[in-house]
């Protein structure tokens, strides 16, 4: 350790802060941290991030980490291919901009939700590993709404005009806020009497009223789908992404570390001993 922050130059006389630093070290060596697996796991979209735009996908993952840390939520991470090793303690999965997952990963996600887990998905998941949109049935099954058409392909959200959006009903109660949205999917109508209708929490404010944030109960679990790759959008403020993650945390019953003031610049962690 370079000493000049703690000691006076040349003669190495300790400053007051050096004694404080020493005392903290003496105290902390008496403590043995105890690992408690968090209830929240960030699932890394490996197939998507190993493609030609991997830098952008990595930036989206980092934005997820920054948002969760700013919300004072404990989480761990897991690679997509290791989903069969998901810790039993995990009850909440965050799966940002996955797009092109394989059938095995999708099947494990579906089982996780059906068994009582809560799942966050943003962007899309109807592409196969070949990056072709061949798995649109996933939207009907997992999100509860059939796909009618796409507004733009894959992550090319800049190819379509932005639409004003605002929370409705339950979305207001969860703290969602208005923002200029880039929905990627136009959903079709469900037949009358269809079971398991999802709840639209936020929609565009134009005549189409495109569902933007959707909550769907599936057997014992629940799905929170954002029809917009918000983590990828550098034009979107951190406040918007934070409001979406905070709304999902409330929806999924995720415990947040209580910090006053509750602002993202304050990073606080709890380590059990």
């Amino acid at each position: 350790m370079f000493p000049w922050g703690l000691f006076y130059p040349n003669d190495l006389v300790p400053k007051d802060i050096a004694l404080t630093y020493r005392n903290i070290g003496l105290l902390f060596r008496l403590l043995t941290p105890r690992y408690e697996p968090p209830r929240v796991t960030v699932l890394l979209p490996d197939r998507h991030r190993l493609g030609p735009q991997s830098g952008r996908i990595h930036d989206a993952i980092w934005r997820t980490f920054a948002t969760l840390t700013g919300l004072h939520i404990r989480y761990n991470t897991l690679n997509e291919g290791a989903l069969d090793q998901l810790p039993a303690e995990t009850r909440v999965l965050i799966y940002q901009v996955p797009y092109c997952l394989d059938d095995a990963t999708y099947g494990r996600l579906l089982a996780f939700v059906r068994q009582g887990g809560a799942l966050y998905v943003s962007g899309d998941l109807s592409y196969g590993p070949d990056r072709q949109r061949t798995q649109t049935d996933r939207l009907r099954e997992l999100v509860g709404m059939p796909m009618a058409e796409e507004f733009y392909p894959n992550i090319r959200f800049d190819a379509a005009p932005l639409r004003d959006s605002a929370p409705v009903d339950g979305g207001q109660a969860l703290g969602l806020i208005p923002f200029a949205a880039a929905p990627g999917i136009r959903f079709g109508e469900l037949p009358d009497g269809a079971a398991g209708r999802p709840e639209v929490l936020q929609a565009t404010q134009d005549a189409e009223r495109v569902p933007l944030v959707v909550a769907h109960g599936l057997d014992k679990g629940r799905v929170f789908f954002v029809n917009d790759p918000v983590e990828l959008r550098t034009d979107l403020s951190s406040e918007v992404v934070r409001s979406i993650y905070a709304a999902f945390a409330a929806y999924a019953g995720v415990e947040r570390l209580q910090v006053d003031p509750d602002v993202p610049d304050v990073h606080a962690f709890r380590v059990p001993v």
Side-chain angles (χ1 to χ4, degrees):
M1 176 183 296
F2 197 69
W4 299 137
L6 303 174
F7 296 86
Y8 292 103
N10 303 320
D11 55 8
L12 295 181
V13 173
K15 299 179 181 179
D16 290 344
I17 190 63
L19 301 178
T20 302
Y21 191 86
R22 179 203 64 184
N23 294 342
I24 290 174
L26 293 172
L27 172 63
F28 283 180
R29 72 175 59 178
L30 301 176
L31 306 177
T32 302
R34 174 170 51 85
Y35 179 68
E36 286 184 358
R39 295 181 66 248
V40 178
T41 293
V42 176
L43 189 62
L44 305 180
D46 293 328
R47 288 187 178 275
H48 199 193
R49 70 190 179 106
L50 295 178
Q53 300 200 55
S54 61
R56 295 179 66 191
I57 309 307
H58 280 105
D59 287 345
I61 295 170
W62 283 113
R63 194 170 195 181
T64 293
F65 294 161
T67 304
L68 291 174
T69 301
L71 285 168
H72 317 122
I73 293 174
R74 293 183 67 236
Y75 64 92
N76 57 18
T77 62
L78 189 71
N79 288 100
E80 200 174 62
L83 190 54
D84 59 338
Q85 302 171 39
L86 185 70
E89 294 83 1
T90 296
R91 303 313 305 150
V92 178
L93 275 177
I94 294 177
Y95 198 24
Q96 63 290 302
V97 294
Y99 280 81
C100 50
L101 56 158
D102 61 19
D103 287 338
T105 300
Y106 175 73
R108 293 183 182 112
L109 285 176
L110 189 62
F112 170 79
V113 174
R114 290 190 183 280
Q115 293 166 10
L119 172 65
Y120 168 95
V121 177
S122 63
D124 200 349
L125 43 62
S126 64
Y127 289 79
D130 59 357
R131 300 182 178 241
Q132 300 298 311
R133 194 192 290 277
T134 57
Q135 306 294 329
T136 56
D137 287 347
R138 294 172 178 172
L139 294 166
R140 176 65 181 90
E141 186 172 36
L142 199 63
V143 182
M145 304 182 75
M147 178 178 174
E149 62 177 303
E150 67 179 28
F151 290 118
Y152 52 83
N154 50 70
I155 60 173
R156 292 189 55 196
F157 53 84
D158 54 349
L162 297 178
R163 302 167 181 240
D164 290 337
S165 74
V168 295
D169 302 330
Q172 293 177 339
L174 290 173
L176 292 171
I177 61 176
F179 68 95
I185 298 167
R186 175 183 285 115
F187 291 107
E189 294 292 330
L190 288 171
D192 292 338
R197 284 181 173 272
E199 179 185 6
V200 177
L201 300 176
Q202 184 146 338
T204 61
Q205 296 298 286
D206 51 18
E208 289 189 85
R209 302 287 292 176
V210 178
L212 189 71
V213 180
V214 178
H216 180 221
L218 183 60
D219 289 347
K220 298 178 181 179
R222 50 183 60 183
V223 178
F224 191 96
F225 179 71
V226 182
N227 184 18
D228 186 332
V230 292
E231 294 86 358
L232 281 169
R233 291 182 51 196
T234 56
D235 63 309
L236 210 55
S237 72
S238 297
E239 180 186 9
V240 170
V241 181
R242 176 180 169 87
S243 73
I244 292 171
Y245 276 60
F248 171 67
Y251 173 73
V254 174
E255 180 182 357
R256 296 172 55 194
L257 184 62
Q258 296 303 305
V259 177
D260 186 19
D262 182 15
V263 294
D265 290 340
V266 176
H267 291 181
F269 305 89
R270 179 182 64 84
V271 179
V273 294

